[in-house]
Amino acid sequence: MAQPRKIRVFDTTLRDGEQTPGVALTKEKKLEIAYALQELGLDAIEAGFPINSLIEEETVKQIAKELDITVCGLARALTQDIDACIAADVDMIHTFISTSPQHLKYQMNKTEDEVYEMAVKAVEYVVDHGIPCMFSPMDATRTPMPYLLRVCKGVEAAGAKIINVPDTVGVMYPEKMRKFVSEIRKEIKIDLDVHCHNDFGLASANTLAAVEAGVNQVQVTVNGLGERAGNADLEQVAMALKLLYGMETNIKTERIYPTSKLVERLTTVRLMPNYPIVGDNAFAHESGIHVHAVLKRAETFEPFPPELVGAKRRLVLGKHIGVHGIDAKLKELGITVDPEQLKEITAKVKNLGGKGKKIVEEDLAAIAEDVAGMMPKKERKVELIDLVLNSRLNEKPSASVILKVNGVNGAEKRSTQEGVGPVDAALNAIKNALGGEKITLEEYHLDAITGGSDALAEVMITLRRGEDTTLARGVHEDVVMASVIAFINGINRIMK
Ligand code: KIV
Ligand code: ZN
């Protein structure tokens, strides 16, 4: 059986990735990322641009010294840049010069012949120092093919080991990329590499197209970092090569998610939640239909198991969740409820989600405990039918309640009372509606379950009726409602 084709993965997070606007990595951070990239299984990494500064040269040098994989330094096609890479003791030098008419005219003010000379001389200089050389004709994809091939053949003859094809301003699309790289592949014998920018969101697709056309190496960055819209994304390219193309790389896929998180933390560039493979929502399910199916068989709505990239599946609690999702989540939290309670918890979660509240596990646990702690509907003596609050600046707040008191022909009781605050007013109104009942509030505790102004409030109270005391709790996104729920729960228990 034929072996799957093997593709080398070259990471430039520490070079092009560091050129992401606003990103600057210290030596320590670069080292931490470099080790993570080595552990992830990269074949080679570009550790930096040594001519940039002495500290950059030292950083690249230390990474090259400490890592076992190929560590590359970037150099313009200039002796002083190459010397800085040599001083950094790198395992490979990546030298580049622009070849497109736009760059020749407006950036360098040089002729094609002058650029050709510089490219060949730079490669010869690296090779003369006994260091493997990768050459990039920058802006290759906007360079006319005859001139591009002339430069590529010149540097191949000069001893370059790899030619990289950069889509510097991300103007390719897959079909065009396939044709473009195929033309180079026909003429060039040494290894080809590709470096795509994401200006049209096609960097990963173009990289894969270049692989189809015969490149042996792909340049990527973690989280797609890089100049402007970034580079081809390591996670997407590695997973597509493995699962969609059936090709081999040395990437240990289960290290993908932790590495992405590390880079996110150290660069402080946050990923969009819907970012493929490593975004917060990549393996999150909320809709009841999806959750139900995924719980039965994950492949229904997942292209591959999250564990394959070291991530975890998330069931999101929101307005689209159904009983199956809540049931699974409760089981995960070790909470057992009966079917009636499960329905009630689901209704509460959907209701909160519908109001735009982000419900996390702690909220669910509190809602479940609250519902499970409530008496079954048919055993409840008192139920809240309505509550109206009136609270104005410089005026005492008042509350009007309507209660249904079971057992007294299902009678409705109404009352309006004032209080020192809205909670006090609401509880006074409930007490008053119940008339002769001598129930006193002995203790009251209020907690926010999670942070934020939309946090769920949890109220714990102790009630006394004669010799009896009871504990009760209430959970709601509104403090007054949490207090009222706790109070009515307590009344139901103590009047049993
Ligand atoms: O985008 C680009 O062309 C580059 C080169 C240095 C390869 O980053
Ligand atoms: Zn680039």
Side-chain angles (χ1 to χ4, degrees), residues 105-287:
K105 186 165 176 200
Y106 301 116
Q107 189 204 338
M108 294 190 298
N109 196 22
K110 291 206 183 303
T111 65
E112 287 191 347
D113 286 344
E114 283 169 329
V115 164
Y116 176 87
E117 280 293 306
M118 287 175 76
V120 170
K121 273 209 180 118
V123 172
E124 281 171 354
Y125 189 70
V126 175
V127 172
D128 285 351
H129 283 84
I131 301 169
C133 181
M134 172 161 70
F135 173 79
S136 283
M138 186 151 89
D139 208 10
T141 53
R142 290 196 295 180
T143 303
M145 192 51 79
Y147 179 59
L148 183 64
L149 286 176
R150 181 181 162 213
V151 176
C152 288
K153 284 179 183 171
V155 296
E156 180 176 44
K161 263 187 123 36
I162 306 173
I163 292 175
N164 172 41
V165 182
D167 184 21
T168 304
V169 290
V171 289
M172 295 305 261
Y173 53 89
E175 197 188 338
K176 195 169 171 194
M177 192 65 159
R178 253 187 308 272
K179 283 192 190 138
F180 192 80
V181 172
S182 298
E183 283 194 54
I184 304 171
R185 186 65 293 174
K186 270 189 246 147
E187 302 289 331
I188 299 296
K189 302 286 161 289
I190 57 174
D191 281 354
L192 288 183
D193 177 36
V194 68
H195 173 108
C196 294
H197 277 272
N198 204 28
D199 299 72
F200 285 86
L202 292 173
S204 296
N206 289 334
T207 301
L208 295 166
V211 169
E212 288 175 38
V215 304
N216 330 74
Q217 180 170 288
V218 289
Q219 290 202 8
V220 289
T221 57
V222 176
N223 298 342
L225 293 173
E227 285 274 4
R228 304 182 312 282
N231 287 72
D233 173 278
L234 185 153
E235 303 85 275
Q236 293 163 23
V237 171
M239 292 313 288
L241 284 174
K242 181 181 172 72
L243 298 179
L244 306 181
Y245 285 74
M247 289 184 182
E248 246 186 66
T249 67
N250 286 326
I251 296 294
K252 298 184 190 82
T253 61
E254 68 286 356
R255 296 293 316 151
I256 283 182
Y257 184 76
T259 311
S260 160
K261 285 289 137 199
L262 174 80
V263 170
E264 191 177 21
R265 182 168 58 81
L266 296 184
T267 58
T268 70
V269 178
R270 287 281 299 150
L271 287 183
M272 286 183 306
N274 59 337
Y275 201 78
I277 299 173
V278 287
D280 282 353
N281 293 350
F283 298 97
H285 308 274
E286 180 181 325
S287 120

Side-chain angles (χ1 to χ4, degrees), residues 36 39 55 69 93 184 196 209 217 228 251 260 270 276 284 298 303-304 307 315 353 388 392 415 429:
E39 217 189 308
I55 176 79
I69 56 174
I93 295 176
I184 304 171
C196 294
Q217 180 170 288
R228 304 182 312 282
I251 296 294
S260 160
R270 287 281 299 150
F304 58 86
E307 295 75 23
L315 300 184
V388 179
R392 300 186 63 175
S415 170

